[in-house]
Amino acid sequence: MGHPCTAGTTAALVIIRGNKLYVAHVGDSAVIMGVQRDADAPLETMTLTEDHKPEAPKERKRIEAHGGAVINKA
């Protein structure tokens, strides 16, 4: 278990309704879809989400743009 100031929450949700796929997630729980083109083909995987980790440049920029800060607690 992480230190209380660095522990976080993750969630991933996938809803299939008809021919539509809805994906929502928060944190670093990835959603990966497997596709098999035909019965004899190997399963192909496709990552549908990007992790929300503060050390990732894109996520850090998003946090800071909304008035937050990312600091190293180590």
Side-chain angles (χ1 to χ4, degrees), residues 6-59:
T6 59
T9 301
T10 64
L13 172 71
V14 175
I15 297 173
I16 301 171
R17 190 165 185 177
N19 65 350
K20 293 190 186 244
L21 178 74
Y22 300 91
V23 177
H25 83 112
V26 64
D28 58 0
S29 291
V31 176
I32 299 171
M33 179 173 70
V35 178
Q36 190 170 25
R37 305 280 175 202
D38 60 63
D40 296 327
L43 187 67
E44 299 173 32
T45 60
M46 192 180 329
T47 302
L48 302 180
T49 57
E50 273 185 48
D51 290 351
H52 299 129
K53 291 185 176 183
E55 64 272 14
K58 184 177 176 181
E59 185 65 5

